[in-house]
Amino acid sequence: MFIVIHSLVTSVSLTALESRNATMHFVTEFVLLGFPGQREMQNFFFSLILVVYLLTLLGNGVIVYVVKWDKRLHTPMYILLGNFAFLEIWYISSTVPNMLVTILSETKTISFTGCFLQFYFFFSLGTTECFFLSVMAYDRYLAICRPLHYPSIMTGKLCVILVCVCWVSGFLCYPIPIVLISQLPFCGPNIIDHFVCDPGPLFALACIPAPSTELICYTFNSVIIFGPFLSILGSYTLVLRAVLRIPSGAGQTKAFSTCGSHLMVVSLFYGTLMVMYVSPTSGNPAGMQKIVTLVYSAVTPLLNPLIYSLRNKDMKDVICGIRIIQPS
Protein backbone atom coordinates (compact mmCIF):
# COMPACT_ATOMS: atom_id res chain seq x y z
CA MET A 1 0.00 0.00 0.00
CA PHE A 2 2.80 2.41 0.96
CA ILE A 3 4.60 1.65 -2.28
CA VAL A 4 1.47 2.43 -4.30
CA ILE A 5 0.89 5.73 -2.47
CA HIS A 6 4.57 6.69 -2.84
CA SER A 7 4.40 5.91 -6.56
CA LEU A 8 1.26 8.02 -6.96
CA VAL A 9 2.78 11.00 -5.07
CA THR A 10 5.97 10.77 -7.11
CA SER A 11 4.00 10.59 -10.34
CA VAL A 12 1.90 13.63 -9.39
CA SER A 13 5.02 15.60 -8.40
CA LEU A 14 6.79 14.81 -11.64
CA THR A 15 3.69 15.72 -13.63
CA ALA A 16 3.40 19.06 -11.79
CA LEU A 17 7.10 19.80 -12.35
CA GLU A 18 6.86 18.97 -16.03
CA SER A 19 3.75 21.14 -16.32
CA ARG A 20 5.56 24.03 -14.63
CA ASN A 21 8.57 23.67 -16.90
CA ALA A 22 6.30 23.55 -19.91
CA THR A 23 4.53 26.79 -18.94
CA MET A 24 7.76 28.51 -17.85
CA HIS A 25 9.37 29.69 -21.09
CA PHE A 26 12.86 31.12 -20.73
CA VAL A 27 13.63 34.37 -22.54
CA THR A 28 16.00 34.38 -25.51
CA GLU A 29 16.16 38.16 -25.83
CA PHE A 30 15.62 41.32 -23.81
CA VAL A 31 13.91 44.58 -24.68
CA LEU A 32 15.91 47.71 -23.81
CA LEU A 33 13.42 50.55 -23.40
CA GLY A 34 16.13 53.19 -23.51
CA PHE A 35 14.93 56.79 -23.31
CA PRO A 36 11.21 57.59 -23.16
CA GLY A 37 9.45 60.08 -25.41
CA GLN A 38 7.92 60.60 -28.81
CA ARG A 39 9.81 60.09 -32.08
CA GLU A 40 10.97 63.75 -32.08
CA MET A 41 12.48 63.30 -28.62
CA GLN A 42 14.05 59.99 -29.71
CA ASN A 43 15.63 61.73 -32.70
CA PHE A 44 16.98 64.43 -30.39
CA PHE A 45 18.55 61.84 -28.08
CA PHE A 46 19.99 60.01 -31.09
CA SER A 47 21.60 63.17 -32.51
CA LEU A 48 22.94 64.27 -29.12
CA ILE A 49 24.44 60.88 -28.23
CA LEU A 50 25.88 60.47 -31.73
CA VAL A 51 27.64 63.85 -31.47
CA VAL A 52 28.97 62.94 -28.01
CA TYR A 53 30.23 59.61 -29.34
CA LEU A 54 31.98 61.10 -32.37
CA LEU A 55 33.59 63.87 -30.30
CA THR A 56 34.77 61.27 -27.77
CA LEU A 57 36.35 59.17 -30.51
CA LEU A 58 37.99 62.27 -31.98
CA GLY A 59 39.31 63.67 -28.70
CA ASN A 60 40.68 60.42 -27.31
CA GLY A 61 41.93 59.40 -30.75
CA VAL A 62 43.99 62.60 -30.95
CA ILE A 63 45.59 61.84 -27.57
CA VAL A 64 46.40 58.26 -28.61
CA TYR A 65 47.89 59.48 -31.91
CA VAL A 66 49.97 62.23 -30.30
CA VAL A 67 51.35 59.97 -27.56
CA LYS A 68 52.13 57.20 -30.04
CA TRP A 69 53.85 59.23 -32.72
CA ASP A 70 55.58 62.01 -30.75
CA LYS A 71 58.66 60.53 -29.12
CA ARG A 72 58.88 63.46 -26.71
CA LEU A 73 55.79 62.04 -24.99
CA HIS A 74 57.21 58.54 -24.56
CA THR A 75 57.39 58.94 -20.79
CA PRO A 76 55.45 56.92 -18.18
CA MET A 77 52.96 59.70 -17.49
CA TYR A 78 51.97 60.07 -21.14
CA ILE A 79 52.14 56.35 -21.91
CA LEU A 80 49.58 55.84 -19.14
CA LEU A 81 47.52 58.74 -20.50
CA GLY A 82 47.65 57.29 -24.03
CA ASN A 83 46.46 53.90 -22.81
CA PHE A 84 43.75 55.58 -20.77
CA ALA A 85 42.50 57.46 -23.85
CA PHE A 86 42.57 54.23 -25.88
CA LEU A 87 40.57 52.56 -23.09
CA GLU A 88 37.98 55.34 -23.19
CA ILE A 89 37.41 54.73 -26.90
CA TRP A 90 36.53 51.09 -26.24
CA TYR A 91 34.63 51.89 -23.05
CA ILE A 92 32.16 54.20 -24.75
CA SER A 93 32.00 51.87 -27.77
CA SER A 94 30.81 49.00 -25.57
CA THR A 95 27.45 50.71 -25.04
CA VAL A 96 26.81 53.72 -27.27
CA PRO A 97 26.62 52.03 -30.72
CA ASN A 98 24.01 49.58 -29.44
CA MET A 99 22.27 52.47 -27.67
CA LEU A 100 21.99 54.34 -30.99
CA VAL A 101 20.64 51.24 -32.74
CA THR A 102 18.11 50.76 -29.95
CA ILE A 103 16.84 54.33 -30.27
CA LEU A 104 16.17 53.85 -34.00
CA SER A 105 14.82 50.33 -33.64
CA GLU A 106 11.14 49.61 -33.38
CA THR A 107 11.63 46.36 -31.43
CA LYS A 108 14.56 47.58 -29.26
CA THR A 109 15.64 44.00 -28.64
CA ILE A 110 19.01 42.54 -27.74
CA SER A 111 19.74 38.82 -27.63
CA PHE A 112 20.37 37.03 -24.35
CA THR A 113 23.99 36.36 -25.35
CA GLY A 114 24.43 39.89 -26.68
CA CYS A 115 23.12 41.35 -23.43
CA PHE A 116 25.61 39.47 -21.28
CA LEU A 117 28.47 40.14 -23.71
CA GLN A 118 27.72 43.85 -23.43
CA PHE A 119 27.53 43.43 -19.65
CA TYR A 120 30.94 41.73 -19.62
CA PHE A 121 32.80 44.22 -21.82
CA PHE A 122 31.18 47.29 -20.25
CA PHE A 123 32.07 46.24 -16.72
CA SER A 124 35.49 44.83 -17.63
CA LEU A 125 36.48 48.08 -19.35
CA GLY A 126 35.10 50.06 -16.39
CA THR A 127 37.16 47.94 -14.01
CA THR A 128 40.23 48.49 -16.18
CA GLU A 129 39.59 52.24 -15.93
CA CYS A 130 39.55 52.00 -12.13
CA PHE A 131 42.92 50.26 -12.20
CA PHE A 132 44.42 52.80 -14.62
CA LEU A 133 43.28 55.72 -12.46
CA SER A 134 44.98 54.07 -9.49
CA VAL A 135 48.24 53.54 -11.40
CA MET A 136 48.16 57.11 -12.71
CA ALA A 137 47.77 58.39 -9.14
CA TYR A 138 50.75 56.28 -8.08
CA ASP A 139 52.76 57.73 -10.95
CA ARG A 140 51.97 61.29 -9.79
CA TYR A 141 52.88 60.33 -6.22
CA LEU A 142 56.30 59.15 -7.33
CA ALA A 143 56.88 62.21 -9.53
CA ILE A 144 56.01 64.71 -6.78
CA CYS A 145 56.96 62.96 -3.53
CA ARG A 146 60.06 61.13 -4.77
CA PRO A 147 61.28 63.15 -7.76
CA LEU A 148 64.94 62.10 -7.45
CA HIS A 149 64.06 58.40 -7.42
CA TYR A 150 61.27 58.69 -10.00
CA PRO A 151 63.38 57.79 -13.09
CA SER A 152 64.87 54.74 -11.38
CA ILE A 153 61.51 53.51 -9.99
CA MET A 154 59.06 54.28 -12.78
CA THR A 155 61.15 52.78 -15.56
CA GLY A 156 59.84 51.94 -19.00
CA LYS A 157 59.75 48.27 -18.05
CA LEU A 158 57.70 48.87 -14.89
CA CYS A 159 55.35 51.14 -16.83
CA VAL A 160 54.71 48.42 -19.42
CA ILE A 161 54.14 45.85 -16.66
CA LEU A 162 51.61 48.13 -14.91
CA VAL A 163 49.78 48.77 -18.18
CA CYS A 164 49.56 45.04 -18.91
CA VAL A 165 48.38 44.27 -15.37
CA CYS A 166 45.61 46.88 -15.68
CA TRP A 167 44.34 45.47 -18.98
CA VAL A 168 44.57 41.78 -18.05
CA SER A 169 43.22 42.04 -14.51
CA GLY A 170 40.36 44.25 -15.66
CA PHE A 171 39.11 41.53 -17.99
CA LEU A 172 39.64 38.73 -15.47
CA CYS A 173 37.48 40.21 -12.71
CA TYR A 174 33.96 39.91 -14.06
CA PRO A 175 33.49 36.40 -15.51
CA ILE A 176 32.31 35.06 -12.13
CA PRO A 177 29.52 37.66 -11.57
CA ILE A 178 28.49 37.36 -15.23
CA VAL A 179 28.18 33.56 -14.94
CA LEU A 180 26.26 33.79 -11.65
CA ILE A 181 23.71 36.25 -13.05
CA SER A 182 23.38 34.47 -16.42
CA GLN A 183 22.51 31.23 -14.61
CA LEU A 184 19.45 32.81 -12.98
CA PRO A 185 16.12 31.77 -14.55
CA PHE A 186 14.65 34.52 -16.73
CA CYS A 187 11.16 33.35 -17.63
CA GLY A 188 9.55 36.69 -18.42
CA PRO A 189 8.90 39.54 -18.59
CA ASN A 190 11.98 40.50 -20.56
CA ILE A 191 11.71 44.30 -20.56
CA ILE A 192 14.71 46.21 -19.17
CA ASP A 193 13.92 49.84 -18.39
CA HIS A 194 17.45 50.93 -19.24
CA PHE A 195 19.67 51.46 -22.27
CA VAL A 196 22.34 48.95 -21.17
CA CYS A 197 22.31 45.47 -19.67
CA ASP A 198 22.90 46.34 -16.03
CA PRO A 199 22.85 43.99 -13.03
CA GLY A 200 20.10 45.88 -11.18
CA PRO A 201 17.42 45.49 -13.87
CA LEU A 202 18.57 41.93 -14.60
CA PHE A 203 18.11 40.91 -10.97
CA ALA A 204 14.63 42.44 -11.09
CA LEU A 205 13.75 40.25 -14.10
CA ALA A 206 14.87 36.96 -12.53
CA CYS A 207 12.01 34.54 -11.85
CA ILE A 208 13.26 33.77 -8.37
CA PRO A 209 14.87 36.04 -5.76
CA ALA A 210 18.63 35.63 -5.58
CA PRO A 211 19.81 37.47 -2.45
CA SER A 212 23.06 35.52 -2.21
CA THR A 213 23.98 36.29 -5.83
CA GLU A 214 23.05 39.95 -5.34
CA LEU A 215 25.18 40.12 -2.20
CA ILE A 216 28.14 38.53 -3.99
CA CYS A 217 27.85 40.93 -6.94
CA TYR A 218 27.45 44.07 -4.84
CA THR A 219 30.30 43.02 -2.56
CA PHE A 220 32.39 42.36 -5.66
CA ASN A 221 31.51 45.80 -7.06
CA SER A 222 32.37 47.48 -3.77
CA VAL A 223 35.78 45.79 -3.58
CA ILE A 224 36.62 46.68 -7.19
CA ILE A 225 35.51 50.29 -6.70
CA PHE A 226 36.89 50.95 -3.23
CA GLY A 227 40.20 49.10 -3.70
CA PRO A 228 41.56 51.42 -6.41
CA PHE A 229 39.75 54.41 -4.86
CA LEU A 230 41.52 53.96 -1.52
CA SER A 231 44.81 53.59 -3.38
CA ILE A 232 44.12 56.86 -5.22
CA LEU A 233 43.11 58.55 -1.98
CA GLY A 234 46.30 57.38 -0.27
CA SER A 235 48.49 58.56 -3.15
CA TYR A 236 46.95 62.03 -3.24
CA THR A 237 47.00 62.39 0.53
CA LEU A 238 50.77 61.94 0.37
CA VAL A 239 50.94 64.26 -2.65
CA LEU A 240 48.98 66.96 -0.84
CA ARG A 241 51.21 66.69 2.20
CA ALA A 242 54.31 66.99 0.02
CA VAL A 243 52.91 69.93 -1.96
CA LEU A 244 52.07 71.89 1.18
CA ARG A 245 55.73 71.56 2.23
CA ILE A 246 56.95 73.23 -0.96
CA PRO A 247 58.14 76.71 0.10
CA SER A 248 57.43 78.56 -3.14
CA GLY A 249 53.94 79.37 -4.31
CA ALA A 250 54.97 78.72 -7.92
CA GLY A 251 56.07 75.20 -7.03
CA GLN A 252 52.79 74.50 -5.30
CA THR A 253 50.84 75.83 -8.28
CA LYS A 254 52.80 73.65 -10.69
CA ALA A 255 52.29 70.55 -8.56
CA PHE A 256 48.56 71.17 -8.18
CA SER A 257 48.28 71.82 -11.91
CA THR A 258 49.98 68.51 -12.64
CA CYS A 259 47.51 66.59 -10.47
CA GLY A 260 44.43 68.74 -10.98
CA SER A 261 43.31 67.15 -14.24
CA HIS A 262 43.64 63.65 -12.83
CA LEU A 263 41.69 64.59 -9.70
CA MET A 264 38.88 66.02 -11.81
CA VAL A 265 38.60 62.78 -13.79
CA VAL A 266 38.70 60.66 -10.62
CA SER A 267 36.01 62.77 -8.95
CA LEU A 268 33.69 62.66 -11.96
CA PHE A 269 34.11 58.94 -12.62
CA TYR A 270 34.04 57.66 -9.05
CA GLY A 271 31.29 60.02 -7.93
CA THR A 272 28.81 58.56 -10.41
CA LEU A 273 30.14 55.02 -10.09
CA MET A 274 29.61 54.88 -6.33
CA VAL A 275 26.04 56.14 -6.67
CA MET A 276 25.24 53.20 -8.94
CA TYR A 277 27.18 50.19 -7.70
CA VAL A 278 28.41 50.53 -4.14
CA SER A 279 24.92 49.81 -2.80
CA PRO A 280 22.00 47.94 -4.38
CA THR A 281 20.16 50.21 -6.82
CA SER A 282 16.82 48.42 -7.02
CA GLY A 283 15.23 51.21 -4.96
CA ASN A 284 16.48 53.99 -7.25
CA PRO A 285 14.14 55.31 -9.95
CA ALA A 286 14.88 54.01 -13.44
CA GLY A 287 15.30 57.56 -14.72
CA MET A 288 18.00 58.30 -12.13
CA GLN A 289 19.84 55.09 -13.03
CA LYS A 290 19.82 56.07 -16.70
CA ILE A 291 21.14 59.58 -16.01
CA VAL A 292 23.94 58.39 -13.72
CA THR A 293 24.91 55.59 -16.12
CA LEU A 294 24.95 58.05 -19.03
CA VAL A 295 27.30 60.34 -17.11
CA TYR A 296 30.01 57.78 -16.40
CA SER A 297 29.58 55.79 -19.63
CA ALA A 298 29.37 58.64 -22.16
CA VAL A 299 29.94 62.07 -20.60
CA THR A 300 33.12 61.15 -18.70
CA PRO A 301 34.93 59.71 -21.76
CA LEU A 302 33.96 62.90 -23.63
CA LEU A 303 35.32 65.24 -20.96
CA ASN A 304 38.56 63.38 -20.27
CA PRO A 305 40.40 64.57 -23.43
CA LEU A 306 39.27 68.15 -22.76
CA ILE A 307 40.37 68.01 -19.13
CA TYR A 308 43.77 66.49 -19.89
CA SER A 309 44.55 68.59 -22.96
CA LEU A 310 43.32 71.93 -21.61
CA ARG A 311 45.02 71.54 -18.23
CA ASN A 312 48.23 69.96 -19.53
CA LYS A 313 50.57 72.49 -21.11
CA ASP A 314 52.86 69.91 -22.67
CA MET A 315 49.94 68.15 -24.31
CA LYS A 316 48.50 71.43 -25.61
CA ASP A 317 51.86 72.49 -27.00
CA VAL A 318 52.43 69.19 -28.81
CA ILE A 319 48.94 69.18 -30.28
CA CYS A 320 49.29 72.77 -31.43
CA GLY A 321 52.91 72.28 -32.48
CA ILE A 322 54.00 75.33 -30.47
CA ARG A 323 57.22 74.20 -28.86
CA ILE A 324 59.48 71.30 -28.02
CA ILE A 325 58.72 69.69 -24.68
CA GLN A 326 61.35 69.90 -22.01
CA PRO A 327 61.81 66.60 -20.17
CA SER A 328 60.23 66.60 -16.70
Side-chain angles (χ1 to χ4, degrees):
M1 185 65 178
F2 173 77
I3 296 176
V4 173
I5 295 175
H6 177 73
S7 300
L8 287 173
V9 171
T10 304
S11 177
V12 170
S13 301
L14 289 174
T15 303
L17 183 60
E18 289 173 0
S19 176
R20 183 184 177 188
N21 288 336
T23 57
M24 182 185 291
H25 64 284
F26 292 94
V27 301
T28 58
E29 61 183 16
F30 295 101
V31 177
L32 296 173
L33 291 184
F35 300 98
Q38 301 297 322
R39 175 49 59 184
E40 293 76 13
M41 184 61 69
Q42 296 288 319
N43 292 336
F44 170 75
F45 280 128
F46 178 86
S47 302
L48 178 63
I49 295 172
L50 179 61
V51 170
V52 169
Y53 180 57
L54 294 177
L55 289 176
T56 302
L57 296 183
L58 177 63
N60 286 286
V62 167
I63 292 179
V64 172
Y65 176 82
V66 168
V67 172
K68 178 177 176 58
W69 295 108
D70 197 309
K71 294 183 179 180
R72 297 167 293 179
L73 295 179
H74 288 182
T75 61
M77 174 181 173
Y78 291 107
I79 291 173
L80 292 172
L81 178 57
N83 274 271
F84 188 74
F86 182 71
L87 168 65
E88 292 289 56
I89 292 175
W90 288 105
Y91 185 52
I92 193 172
S93 297
S94 67
T95 56
V96 168
N98 184 72
M99 192 190 311
L100 295 174
V101 172
T102 301
I103 292 175
L104 294 180
S105 172
E106 294 295 333
T107 59
K108 301 183 182 299
T109 59
I110 182 172
S111 68
F112 186 91
T113 302
C115 180
F116 281 93
L117 280 176
Q118 183 193 69
F119 185 177
Y120 172 70
F121 283 105
F122 181 50
F123 276 74
S124 294
L125 290 166
T127 302
T128 304
E129 182 160 342
C130 291
F131 294 157
F132 263 110
L133 289 173
S134 178
V135 171
M136 292 166 76
Y138 175 67
D139 175 73
R140 291 302 83 203
Y141 155 74
L142 290 177
I144 294 175
C145 298
R146 305 184 65 182
L148 298 179
H149 299 92
Y150 179 78
S152 60
I153 297 176
M154 186 57 75
T155 61
K157 181 179 180 180
L158 178 60
C159 183
V160 171
I161 291 174
L162 291 174
V163 167
C164 292
V165 168
C166 287
W167 281 105
V168 174
S169 58
F171 279 85
L172 290 179
C173 285
Y174 264 93
I176 293 177
I178 296 289
V179 170
L180 289 176
I181 298 176
S182 66
Q183 295 303 308
L184 295 175
F186 296 95
C187 50
N190 64 338
I191 298 175
I192 298 177
D193 191 7
H194 213 315
F195 54 82
V196 295
C197 290
D198 201 65
L202 287 173
F203 278 126
L205 291 181
C207 300
I208 58 174
S212 58
T213 303
E214 288 193 53
L215 179 62
I216 291 173
C217 290
Y218 289 126
T219 303
F220 202 81
N221 288 334
S222 298
V223 171
I224 288 179
I225 292 173
F226 274 112
F229 179 73
L230 292 176
S231 172
I232 294 169
L233 194 63
S235 295
Y236 276 109
T237 299
L238 296 174
V239 166
L240 180 62
R241 189 174 67 175
V243 168
L244 293 177
R245 291 177 179 174
I246 299 177
S248 66
Q252 290 184 359
T253 302
K254 182 178 180 181
F256 277 123
S257 177
T258 302
C259 300
S261 56
H262 187 233
L263 281 173
M264 290 176 64
V265 172
V266 169
S267 301
L268 183 62
F269 181 73
Y270 270 98
T272 54
L273 207 61
M274 287 181 179
V275 170
M276 280 296 292
Y277 298 115
V278 169
S279 61
T281 59
S282 57
N284 293 343
M288 179 61 67
Q289 293 187 28
K290 293 178 187 179
I291 292 172
V292 175
T293 303
L294 191 63
V295 169
Y296 71 78
S297 65
V299 177
T300 303
L302 170 67
L303 295 180
N304 285 350
L306 298 176
I307 292 172
Y308 280 117
S309 61
L310 292 179
R311 293 186 60 86
N312 189 303
K313 192 173 188 301
D314 288 344
M315 183 65 70
K316 285 192 297 183
D317 291 348
V318 171
I319 293 175
C320 299
I322 296 177
R323 70 178 182 86
I324 298 177
I325 296 179
Q326 299 297 324
S328 57

